[in-house]
Amino acid sequence: MKLFSTNKKAASATFEKAVMQGLAEDGGLFMPTEIPTLTPNFFAKIDTLNFQEIAFTVAKTLIQNDIPEKELEKIIYESINFDAPLKEIKENIYALELFHGPTLAFKDFGARFMARIMSYFINKTAKKITIIVATSGDTGSAVASGVYNVEGIRVFLLYPSNKVSKIQEQQLTTMGGNIQALEIDGTFDDCQKLVKEAFLDQELKNIFAENNDSLASANSINIARLIPQSFYYFHAYSQLKKIFGPNMEPPIFSIPSGNLGNLTAGLIAKKMGLPIKKFIAANNANDTFTEYLKTGNFTAKPSVKTISNAMDVGNPSNFVRIQELYQNNPEKMRQDIWSASFSDKETAAALKKVFEKYNYIMDPHGAVAYLGLQAYLENSPAPVTHNTKNASVNNPLIFFETAHPAKFLDIVEPIINQKIPIPDRLAACLTKEKITTKLSKNFTDFKNFLAKNAK
Ligand SMILES: *Cc1c(COP(=O)(O)O)cnc(C)c1O
């Protein structure tokens, strides 16, 4: 697999380099120079394959011989070791539940896969790496859980003070071992900026290199985080085909979007040949992408706080990758992607309605995606029929449930007026002591901290 930088100034990179470095030298994001398509035979029998078999085929096709097949298979079987089931909410509308991993959010897929890919590469060279990652909540715990106790890797988690839920903060700050939480006095965008700056700082790089260590990224900018997120689009398709049969119309996916990593992975899946009619990028009040599709102008904004806080991103980092996929052409993008944004009030109302009418508890992020589907059905220029199970006229409608509602107890419980049972793996961290290092949003403070910790 060969990759190029979206800034076009850096030379092309191998998969190993792209993963270990995260960001290209010119500050761009890595993208595959070629996205191969899967065979007709794969699609013909996709409904006979399980999730891991599907993931392995997709990974092998994309990554090719950068990792020997046996190793790659092992990495897949260890990282994709929980399901992503489709749940029918009402006729022809399904939730794809992506929260059955160890930290109850879809970011477990990317984090577990990336940790094992990195571990494979560092074992080859006997080096150490220090992952720095900015998190708006879920990324951090997923990355921490993914690399916990993996030899040669340690993690610094940067999170915005007072801007993640209590439960998320407990998940981030109680792991110990090779995981250290940094509580930043700022927003998620400030955290992300610190991480980006650190990667471009030559002096820091040298200090780490002297210690046989290097800085690595784990945000959705890392290509190894993105790749496994395409697997569950194929798996969803496979499950749908079992329901609707071989003549199924291509599905429509609604994705609750922040940094647009999940959406980008879906677009890659489509490029690999997966039949998808439309993607819906559902935004909360942070509507930079919605506005872009509407106007053709991309205007980054400061993030605003919402009840779907993992999507509180004003300057989505994967936007440049999407531009690459569509040659900077918003008109082409609109053929595949539709977008709308929703207020907290609308999100809460949808959560309540779906619980009362269909007895299904969404989390606030899933609720935004559900709203995206509804709005698309109302506004779509060529309305999709959605009132019968006749597969020949139906586009199955899927929204992503990206986190377990118990991760957002304080938001969800008052809305549905009901207690949510807390899964054991979440309850375990709630009683542990929070340990953090507090830092300002100043790069100098962060740099000094890293430099001190490199020695
Ligand atoms: C990160 C996250 C999102 C947003 O995903 P992107 O890939 O950044 O667009 C949505 N929901 C949850 C629960 C998340 O953790």
Side-chain angles (χ1 to χ4, degrees):
M1 180 184 203
K2 241 172 60 184
L3 301 104
F4 70 95
S5 161
T6 53
N7 280 356
K8 309 278 164 67
K9 299 205 177 69
S12 69
T14 61
F15 183 51
E16 174 170 1
K17 183 177 160 162
V19 172
M20 299 316 286
Q21 199 172 292
L23 207 61
E25 296 88 326
D26 59 4
L29 272 57
F30 286 115
M31 269 301 268
T33 48
E34 249 176 273
I35 299 176
T37 47
L38 288 145
T39 62
N41 184 40
F42 168 74
F43 289 111
K45 61 167 205 212
I46 192 168
D47 52 334
T48 67
L49 304 175
N50 68 32
F51 193 8
Q52 291 166 323
E53 289 165 338
I54 290 171
F56 178 50
T57 307
V58 175
K60 192 166 62 173
T61 306
L62 255 181
I63 297 170
Q64 295 172 354
N65 47 13
D66 292 75
I67 296 183
E69 275 199 18
K70 272 273 159 274
E71 296 284 344
L72 186 60
E73 189 169 24
K74 188 162 160 267
I75 290 170
I76 293 285
Y77 278 72
E78 284 177 16
S79 52
I80 313 298
N81 62 347
F82 52 91
D83 199 14
L86 269 186
K87 294 274 164 77
E88 188 174 27
I89 305 303
K90 62 176 177 183
E91 195 146 55
N92 207 35
I93 294 197
Y94 298 84
L96 184 70
E97 293 187 347
L98 299 172
F99 54 70
H100 294 278
T103 73
L104 308 170
F106 84 94
K107 293 196 171 70
D108 283 325
F109 286 104
R112 293 176 66 77
F113 183 77
M114 184 191 67
R116 282 156 186 82
I117 296 278
M118 283 181 166
S119 174
Y120 168 76
F121 286 132
I122 54 177
N123 282 341
K124 278 197 340 189
T125 57
K127 280 194 179 151
K128 294 179 289 188
I129 52 172
T130 297
I131 293 178
I132 48 176
V133 54
T135 178
S136 52
D138 291 326
T139 305
S141 44
V143 169
S145 157
V147 307
Y148 187 66
N149 280 346
V150 174
E151 196 157 341
I153 309 184
R154 65 173 165 171
V155 182
F156 291 120
L157 296 170
L158 290 78
Y159 74 96
S161 185
N162 293 323
K163 290 191 179 62
V164 301
S165 77
K166 175 78 188 136
I167 290 181
Q168 285 178 322
E169 185 168 38
Q170 283 298 115
Q171 281 189 307
L172 293 173
T173 60
T174 59
M175 291 196 72
N178 55 342
I179 317 291
Q180 194 174 339
L182 306 179
E183 188 174 351
I184 306 295
D185 188 14
T187 62
F188 170 66
D189 286 338
D190 292 324
C191 296
Q192 213 168 19
K193 205 160 145 250
L194 288 176
V195 170
K196 282 191 181 169
E197 270 184 74
F199 283 118
L200 298 172
D201 194 294
Q202 194 54 46
E203 202 184 348
L204 261 183
K205 263 188 209 159
N206 296 342
I207 295 171
F208 273 76
E210 281 165 26
N211 294 275
N212 208 19
D213 195 350
S214 59
L215 288 176
S217 153
N219 274 85
S220 51
I221 54 177
N222 196 303
I223 192 72
R225 282 265 315 269
L226 210 56
I227 290 170
Q229 292 181 13
S230 63
F231 302 160
Y232 45 72
Y233 285 87
F234 292 91
H235 181 48
Y237 186 86
S238 149
Q239 294 177 71
L240 286 167
K241 214 175 148 191
K242 279 186 199 140
I243 302 170
F244 290 104
N247 297 324
M248 174 176 81
E249 291 293 315
I252 294 168
F253 286 99
S254 181
I255 299 124
S257 295
N259 265 320
L260 300 170
N262 222 348
L263 175 63
T264 307
L267 299 173
I268 290 174
K270 186 175 162 87
K271 278 238 157 185
M272 294 183 78
L274 185 66
I276 295 174
K277 178 176 167 71
K278 202 89 180 182
F279 294 90
I280 299 162
N283 277 161
N284 61 23
N286 296 278
D287 62 353
T288 305
F289 188 67
T290 303
E291 282 301 305
Y292 170 78
L293 274 193
K294 209 182 283 171
T295 64
N297 297 318
F298 184 85
T299 313
K301 305 173 184 178
S303 59
V304 294
K305 196 172 165 168
T306 73
I307 58 170
S308 46
N309 69 28
M311 293 150 61
D312 294 352
V313 181
N315 187 9
S317 51
N318 284 290
F319 176 69
V320 290
R321 284 191 165 123
I322 297 177
Q323 274 186 304
E324 278 305 326
L325 289 168
Y326 292 92
Q327 295 92 37
N328 298 329
N329 184 338
E331 198 39 57
K332 271 194 195 163
M333 246 183 246
R334 286 183 198 115
Q335 286 165 16
D336 288 348
I337 315 168
W338 188 82
S339 181
S341 83
F342 303 94
S343 67
D344 278 357
K345 209 174 145 201
E346 292 169 301
T347 307
L351 221 155
K352 189 171 157 69
K353 187 186 118 186
V354 167
F355 175 65
E356 287 172 354
K357 266 183 104 166
Y358 311 113
N359 199 27
Y360 185 80
I361 305 177
M362 302 189 293
D363 90 294
H365 306 81
V368 172
Y370 177 82
L371 283 167
L373 273 187
Q374 299 298 327
Y376 178 74
L377 293 176
E378 281 160 25
N379 294 309
S380 160
V384 277
T385 32
H386 57 102
N387 53 357
T388 150
K389 275 214 169 177
N390 181 346
S392 63
V393 295
N394 269 339
N395 296 102
L397 305 166
I398 293 92
F399 68 97
F400 282 5
E401 252 304 343
T402 44
H404 191 289
K407 288 194 90 166
F408 304 93
L409 277 185
D410 40 349
I411 294 162
V412 177
E413 284 185 347
I415 294 172
I416 61 169
N417 205 7
Q418 177 132 340
K419 285 262 169 237
I420 304 174
I422 302 185
D424 293 344
R425 54 199 190 281
L426 190 55
C429 77
L430 294 181
T431 51
K432 290 190 194 156
E433 189 197 353
K434 160 186 167 182
I435 299 172
T436 68
T437 302
K438 291 194 175 193
L439 288 176
S440 78
K441 61 179 180 183
N442 253 321
F443 181 63
T444 322
D445 286 351
F446 181 50
K447 182 172 170 179
N448 288 340
F449 171 86
L450 286 178
K452 211 167 63 199
N453 278 280
K455 309 232 176 206

